[in-house]
Amino acid sequence: MINFPRGATLAVLLVVPVLGVLLAGRAAAAAPGTGPPAGPSTVVALGDSAASGEGAGDYEPGTRGEAGDWCHRSPAAYVHHAGLGERSVNLACSGAASRDVRFGSGAHHTEGSQAARLAALAATQRVRTVTLQVGANDAPALGDVAVACVRTFVDPTVGPCRETVGGKWEARVAAMVPEVEGAVADVRAAMRGAGYTEADYVLVLLSYGSPVTERMDALHGARGCPFSRPDAGWTRTVAFPRLSAALGAIAARAGARFLDLSRATEGREACSRSAPAEEWQRRLTVDARALVDDRLDAPGRHLFQESFHPRAAGHAEIGRCLGEFVRGGAPRAVCLAAADGTLHPSVPAVTA
């Protein structure tokens, strides 16, 4: 979910097909669906690093910085653990914002529109579930929030991030809403362009889990969590729940289902356990592989790219929760840990 400065360029050969799908998708938006294709059931993940598998490791060749593609798609990403199709396809890309999901001719880490690629995929494969996790790299800019919190831990004179960022948080979340709504609309348009009606597939919008907590262990700063406890507490109890509430409202307006992950890693955030392997969120992580081969374009952006993202174990549990949620049929749920530590969807009670 951390968005580092963008340096991607668009391959010329991608321009024509992307624009072609864009025009086809827009033209089909008002037309009735012609029916999805036959074939194996497929689940597709769209969005940013939280969906791509950043932090889970073992990234797919071609997404590890080769030729500028730093999407960091992992075979351990939650889409591959959900059990929602005979095939699982990950189109998410680390650092992506809503504009990178939407139709258009731009590119992120050399890759074009996720909606355009979804449309092409759905035209040839029977897509039954589409997940979308996006918004963190829009106006909320969670990467900038992390930097601000680390900075004040190192230099308290700049003021706590719960105040410098917190005072603007509502406005930043509000500014995100139309961006995510546009991404959801283009995902819907992509599926219509491929011949689907909304009844032919499930669209799930997911929120984010806080990577840190005020319940950190001793010497947490030296152990990879350079945040003050009050700032980490604000992140866990205010910033992420408010972001989640806004995403849930977007899902409701769009007729999509919503899975709230704001508490998904509770008790297993970075520096919450004595052993990092027991945590579901990574601590500050330095990836020396960003310095190998010819990938020295901007090492400062990528050395720490995995930091404060779900580990492979966290993705496995989120995938479990996602699969149970979709199969259960509820319109929304919260992922919570059971007594045995495994993650499951909890459906909120309906209030009068």
Side-chain angles (χ1 to χ4, degrees):
M1 67 189 72
I2 293 179
N3 183 21
F4 293 89
R6 302 160 64 91
T9 58
L10 178 62
V12 174
L13 293 179
L14 289 178
V15 173
V16 173
V18 166
L19 292 180
V21 172
L22 167 61
L23 295 175
R26 297 300 193 196
T34 56
S41 60
T42 303
V43 53
V44 183
L46 308 175
D48 56 29
S49 57
S52 74
E54 183 72 79
D58 193 26
Y59 305 113
E60 297 173 5
T63 72
R64 299 176 300 199
E66 302 94 326
D69 190 327
W70 290 93
C71 284
H72 273 188
R73 282 192 283 271
S74 173
Y78 63 71
V79 67
H80 303 306
H81 291 281
L84 293 174
E86 296 168 82
R87 297 190 69 234
S88 53
V89 178
N90 195 348
L91 299 179
C93 183
S94 185
S98 291
R99 62 181 173 272
D100 303 308
V101 174
R102 302 196 65 177
F103 287 115
S105 58
H108 174 67
H109 289 329
T110 75
E111 296 193 2
S113 161
Q114 293 182 28
R117 283 179 286 148
L118 171 65
L121 179 71
T124 60
Q125 299 184 31
R126 179 60 173 95
V127 174
R128 294 189 179 275
T129 306
V130 179
T131 69
L132 176 61
Q133 192 172 20
V134 75
N137 295 321
D138 294 317
L142 291 185
D144 292 346
V145 174
V147 170
C149 291
V150 170
R151 182 183 179 192
T152 189
F153 183 82
V154 175
D155 179 10
T157 65
V158 301
C161 67
R162 64 186 181 278
E163 296 178 3
T164 58
V165 177
K168 304 173 184 177
W169 191 245
E170 289 294 328
R172 289 168 74 157
V173 170
M176 171 204 73
V177 170
E179 299 299 324
V180 176
E181 287 179 332
V184 172
D186 278 9
V187 169
R188 290 290 199 196
M191 295 300 286
R192 284 196 299 273
Y196 292 67
T197 67
E198 292 186 10
D200 290 325
Y201 67 101
V202 173
L203 174 59
V204 181
L205 188 63
L206 298 89
S207 65
Y208 302 87
S210 175
V212 294
T213 176
E214 68 277 21
R215 306 185 187 100
M216 293 180 285
D217 60 11
L219 301 177
H220 56 87
R223 301 186 65 187
C225 297
F227 299 88
S228 73
R229 285 191 172 90
D231 281 348
W234 170 79
T235 297
R236 185 183 71 84
T237 64
V238 177
F240 278 81
R242 179 65 191 94
L243 178 61
S244 186
L247 291 169
I250 293 169
R253 290 192 293 271
R257 295 170 67 180
F258 178 64
L259 188 59
D260 183 348
L261 300 183
S262 63
R263 297 181 60 191
T265 57
E266 196 168 74
R268 292 184 181 270
E269 301 96 338
C271 295
S272 62
R273 302 291 180 102
S274 58
E278 297 177 358
E279 298 164 354
W280 290 350
Q281 297 275 21
R282 279 190 180 270
R283 304 179 183 190
L284 187 66
T285 302
V286 179
D287 181 12
R289 290 171 299 180
L291 295 173
V292 304
D293 299 329
D294 295 321
R295 290 178 272 163
L296 290 170
D297 59 324
R301 286 182 287 156
H302 306 301
L303 280 173
F304 305 100
Q305 190 167 320
E306 293 182 305
S307 302
F308 307 115
H309 286 84
R311 301 167 63 93
H315 274 277
E317 291 299 324
I318 292 171
R320 177 212 301 275
C321 188
L322 171 63
E324 291 181 6
F325 168 64
V326 173
R327 289 187 290 271
R332 62 186 297 145
V334 181
C335 280
L336 296 174
D340 63 358
T342 58
L343 209 58
H344 303 276
S346 175
V347 178
V350 177
T351 57

